[in-house]
Amino acid sequence: MRSFVPSEGYSEAKGMPVLRDLGTALVNGGAGFLGSHLCERLLLRGHSVICLDNFSTGRRANVEHLASNARFRIIEHDVRQPFDIETSLIFNFASPASPPDYQRDPVGTLLTNVLGAVNTLDCARKTGAIVVQSSTSEVYGDPTQSPQRESYCGNVNPIGPRACYDEGKRSAETLFFDYHRTYGVDIRVGRIFNTYGPRMRLDDGRVVSNFIVQALRNADLTIYGDGQQTRSFCYVDDLVEGFLRFSAAGSACHGPINLGNPGEFTVRRLAEIIRDLTNSRSRIVHLPAVVDDPRQRRPDISRAMTELEWQPRIELEAGLARTVEYFDGVLAGTARAEAV
Ligand code: NAD
Ligand code: UDP
């Protein structure tokens, strides 16, 4: 049984020599927003890293700065097709995540989540790797309980426009737990609540990137619906830290575990905070509500606090300030990822 190894602090020096080889970690979706931060942290921690991606919503630019590292490799591949890679740790982060992205090709989204889970689990079964799934708060749908605990089974419309993603992620969780019960695969299922930070795309379509880019351009901030719906926003470094701890937790710890920041904000309040932070002249405008938009979302993170000794450290304003700085650089054409 693996012992609990708390991951390193955020202050670990970049470029520090690696003192021990922790084996190869495979990151499906490693060229995406979250996946690229994860690749970076895994390299710093002492892993060799393989980034597997089909570059549908991710970008080579997100991992370009890692290319000169001898322990980093990119494989262009679609998780809907089987793969066989020698590895001891797999993170399955391959799936479009922004509603406009995942609704553009709903069948492709569902298949990415279902076939991607099967192919990832088959790879883990062959290699004996620990396999970590990026699940989502969307498994709770439009929740009738708040905060959402892991024991809540959710309220998902199975035939609506969000279902390709929600039901895809729910099916993936089912596959993870069935592979664990049937074949003894060592799984970890983390349910991510809205996470933001540098390397989101300008045109990603999610609320944080939309509002920041609109505010920096002094364009209207577009609230869908009345703006009273709530979300809980987690900064990317906190989220990645949670996943690293989860991957290193003992093999009795399979989850599901909520990973997110319990601070809850209305979308209206988020717009006001971002407008203030950017000193923007933007107006706040209301557009029609989107179908099946969850009214509230807030994680109960007691399980993560107890089992992983994890909780977010970065407050919304501080995380938004870093993200604003990033988008400012992108709009000015000066943003650059740092080499690891
Ligand atoms: P993202 O779109 O930036 O990253 C997804 C990555 O997966 C991209 O690099 C994309 O090219 C790749 N990908 C998509 N389909 C693929 C396929 N069929 N084969 C191979 N690669 C494929 O999104 P993200 O925000 O970084 O999300 C990463 C993961 O975390 C996703 O699984 C998402 O569902 C989950 N998640 C994210 C959030 C969040 O707030 N960011 C919340 C809940 C869950
Ligand atoms: N939203 C909004 N304006 C935007 C983008 C999103 O008001 O420009 C709202 C959206 O309707 C939802 C919330 O912000 O209520 C979060 O949306 P996002 O797409 O970021 O993530 P979700 O939690 O819906 O997956």
Side-chain angles (χ1 to χ4, degrees), residues 97-100 102 136-138 162 165-166 193-194 200 204-211 214 221-225 227 229-231 233 267-268 270 285 287-290 292-295 297:
S98 155
Y102 69 65
T136 169
S137 53
E138 289 281 326
R162 298 176 83 96
Y165 182 74
D166 300 10
F193 285 65
N194 299 62
M200 295 182 90
D204 176 287
R206 286 179 273 193
V207 69
V208 172
S209 43
N210 271 10
F211 284 178
Q214 289 164 344
L221 268 58
T222 53
I223 291 182
Y224 305 153
Q229 68 271 39
T230 66
R231 292 293 186 274
F233 300 100
V267 167
R268 172 87 203 182
L270 178 74
V285 300
L287 299 181
V290 299
D292 288 341
D293 201 3
R295 290 299 297 168
R297 207 182 268 158

Side-chain angles (χ1 to χ4, degrees), residues 1 29 32 34 45 64 88 90 124 159 203 219 223 231 243 245 264 266 291 316 336:
M1 187 159 124
L34 296 180
R45 197 191 196 196
E64 225 161 42
S88 54
I90 308 176
I159 57 167
D203 62 350
I223 291 182
R231 292 293 186 274
F243 268 95
R245 286 183 185 227
E264 185 178 10
T266 64
V291 178
L316 182 62
R336 230 163 47 85

Side-chain angles (χ1 to χ4, degrees), residues 274-295:
I274 289 176
R275 191 172 58 175
D276 290 349
L277 261 178
T278 50
N279 293 317
S280 172
R281 296 190 305 278
S282 293
R283 294 180 311 156
I284 295 179
V285 300
H286 291 262
L287 299 181
V290 299
V291 178
D292 288 341
D293 201 3
R295 290 299 297 168

Side-chain angles (χ1 to χ4, degrees), residues 28-35 52-59 77-80 92-98 101 112-113 134-137 165 169 192-196 201 204 206:
N28 298 342
F33 159 51
L34 296 180
L52 182 150
D53 207 297
N54 71 349
F55 301 101
S56 50
T57 58
R59 297 169 298 179
H77 185 79
D78 191 311
V79 291
R80 285 169 287 191
N92 185 33
F93 276 59
S95 167
S98 155
D101 282 345
T112 290
N113 279 292
S134 66
S135 192
T136 169
S137 53
Y165 182 74
K169 289 286 185 184
I192 307 172
F193 285 65
N194 299 62
T195 300
Y196 68 96
R201 299 194 325 265
D204 176 287
R206 286 179 273 193

Side-chain angles (χ1 to χ4, degrees), residues 27 34-42 91 93 240 243-244:
V27 182
L34 296 180
S36 61
H37 287 272
L38 185 57
C39 287
E40 221 171 72
R41 288 289 299 281
L42 287 164
F91 292 88
F93 276 59
V240 170
F243 268 95
L244 291 179

Side-chain angles (χ1 to χ4, degrees), residues 224-236:
Y224 305 153
D226 62 10
Q228 292 310 301
Q229 68 271 39
T230 66
R231 292 293 186 274
S232 298
F233 300 100
C234 187
Y235 188 68
V236 59

